[in-house]
Amino acid sequence: MARPGSWIEPHPHGIQIPAADVWIDPSRAVERALVTHGHADHARGGHAAVWATPETLAIMSARYGEQTSGIAVPYGDSVDLNGVRATFLPAGHVLGSAQILLEYAGERVIVSGDYKRRADPTCAPFQVTPCDIFITEATFGLPVFRHPATQSEMQKLLAALAAEPDRCVLVGAYALGKAQRVIAELRAMGHDAPIYIHGAMQKLCDLYRDWGVDLGELRPALVASKEEMRGAIVVAPPSALGDRWSRRLPDPITAMASGWMRVRQRAVQRGVELPLVLSDHADWDELTSTIREIAPKEVWVTHGREDALLHWCQLHQIKARALDLVGYEDEDD
């Protein structure tokens, strides 16, 4: 009797489905790829054919040029690849992010990609779907990682801004997903003043707007004066926090929105005055509760802090293994 999932072959550079002649999130160019979402460590350029959600294909086009080889698969739709049925389901990570449900040989296998369980005004929520094998990430797969409520982190940001109105708050946020989420969460809190953005954010913020995400009034920071930006929020890539670009801002309070801000040493190393623990990945409780809800027979872990999650699975009588995939980054989450 074949072992569960014997038709799936993990390799260091991606997950291969030989029967379908396709790879999932390969870290190098291949002939045929299923892509879970648009972050560069999962969506590489150069594939001959790509299946992804329409939003992810739009993101790939914005980053790599027009994806003429892209085949759009909206949420809930399926494609048949040589008898392997692949269905794209919301993952809640960023705009267009998807879990991929694979059905073959009487088995149901879900490749989660990156995901989170928190509400996010910029993307569809994670859809819990039963399966036999759940292939999950473990970016924050340690019990120490328990993310605080989103609203409390946004309140910290707004309180810092109100306390020092002659300064600005400069928020470092990953350009795809995190930046737009920070802006949308602030809007949900009632902050309707213009928000200034680094030029590297413009294209992706425009893309989010094209897909119906309301970000309010955004202004380019490059052409604004110091006086205009006093008492304002400025959003930029993390790499810009200590860059010459930031010197033109009015005495910025340096903040960073990342799940890694739970680790004080990381905040100190980055020179972050206002750490904001805001992640687009599931924390420890969300990883374990998701596995409980899905109730798979086996759990496979693609990357991250897998040892603790593997141990947790074993304690709960769930078979588990690490796939040891390479090339997936922490992304400044």
Side-chain angles (χ1 to χ4, degrees):
M1 182 177 178
R3 64 170 177 79
S6 59
W7 46 280
I8 298 172
E9 295 184 4
H11 298 267
H13 57 279
I15 295 171
Q16 185 182 25
I17 315 298
D21 188 24
V22 73
W23 291 77
I24 298 177
D25 288 354
S27 59
R28 63 191 189 193
V30 297
E31 285 296 310
R32 291 153 57 92
L34 304 176
V35 174
T36 61
H37 67 281
H39 279 143
D41 57 337
H42 290 256
R44 308 294 175 122
H47 304 312
V50 175
W51 287 263
T53 64
E55 298 92 332
T56 294
L57 290 177
I59 290 166
M60 293 179 71
S61 292
R63 291 189 144 186
Y64 306 126
E66 189 62 34
Q67 297 295 295
T68 56
S69 60
I71 301 100
V73 187
Y75 290 138
D77 283 7
S78 303
V79 292
D80 186 281
L81 302 169
N82 299 338
V84 179
R85 183 180 177 87
T87 305
F88 285 67
L89 306 169
H93 180 54
V94 297
L95 180 70
S97 60
Q99 309 168 71
I100 300 175
L101 167 63
L102 303 168
E103 297 175 278
Y104 183 72
E107 292 182 331
R108 290 164 57 89
V109 176
I110 287 178
V111 181
S112 74
D114 291 337
Y115 67 97
K116 70 173 177 290
R117 301 301 305 274
R118 303 292 174 96
D120 181 342
T122 69
C123 65
F126 182 95
Q127 180 177 318
V128 174
T129 305
C131 62
D132 300 301
I133 299 173
F134 184 51
I135 304 179
T136 180
E137 59 139 317
T139 301
F140 290 108
L142 289 171
V144 68
F145 290 114
R146 288 182 163 94
H147 305 324
T150 302
Q151 190 175 47
S152 69
E153 298 304 283
M154 294 298 100
Q155 285 171 339
K156 281 168 52 177
L157 195 167
L158 293 173
L161 189 68
E164 301 196 63
D166 287 335
R167 304 174 70 184
C168 72
V169 177
L170 171 60
V171 184
Y174 196 73
L176 170 59
K178 185 63 63 64
Q180 296 78 22
R181 183 182 174 200
V182 166
I183 294 167
E185 296 285 5
L186 287 167
R187 298 310 189 196
M189 297 279 291
H191 183 77
D192 57 5
I195 292 176
Y196 294 85
I197 60 171
H198 188 284
M201 304 288 187
Q202 190 67 59
K203 182 184 289 187
L204 288 171
C205 285
D206 289 344
L207 186 150
Y208 266 64
R209 281 174 160 166
D210 290 344
W211 286 92
V213 179
D214 183 11
L215 299 176
E217 184 182 354
L218 303 181
R219 294 181 182 176
L222 185 62
V223 298
S225 68
K226 278 192 176 184
E227 287 305 313
E228 286 179 273
M229 290 187 284
R230 291 191 192 280
I233 293 170
V234 182
V235 183
S239 60
L241 296 187
D243 189 68
R244 183 186 305 173
W245 178 90
S246 65
R247 297 177 194 167
R248 58 188 313 279
L249 303 177
D251 191 16
I253 300 167
T254 302
M256 186 165 173
S258 168
W260 297 113
M261 290 297 99
R262 171 66 77 186
V263 182
R264 180 172 176 76
Q265 186 179 7
R266 289 216 182 192
V268 171
Q269 288 172 343
R270 301 295 291 263
V272 173
E273 185 177 349
L274 179 64
L276 302 170
V277 184
L278 186 71
S279 176
D280 284 329
H281 294 263
D283 68 6
W284 173 258
D285 289 333
E286 292 161 346
L287 287 168
T288 55
S289 65
T290 298
I291 293 169
R292 287 182 188 275
E293 290 177 75
I294 292 172
K297 297 173 184 174
E298 293 192 19
V299 170
W300 299 0
V301 184
T302 56
H303 64 286
R305 283 78 196 151
E306 68 267 356
D307 288 349
L309 191 60
L310 295 176
H311 181 64
W312 182 91
C313 288
Q314 291 161 3
L315 289 177
H316 291 81
Q317 289 74 55
I318 302 170
K319 290 184 179 180
R321 59 182 288 207
L323 302 187
D324 299 319
L325 302 190
V326 299
Y328 297 99
E329 308 297 335
D330 292 339
E331 299 165 350
D332 277 321
D333 174 66

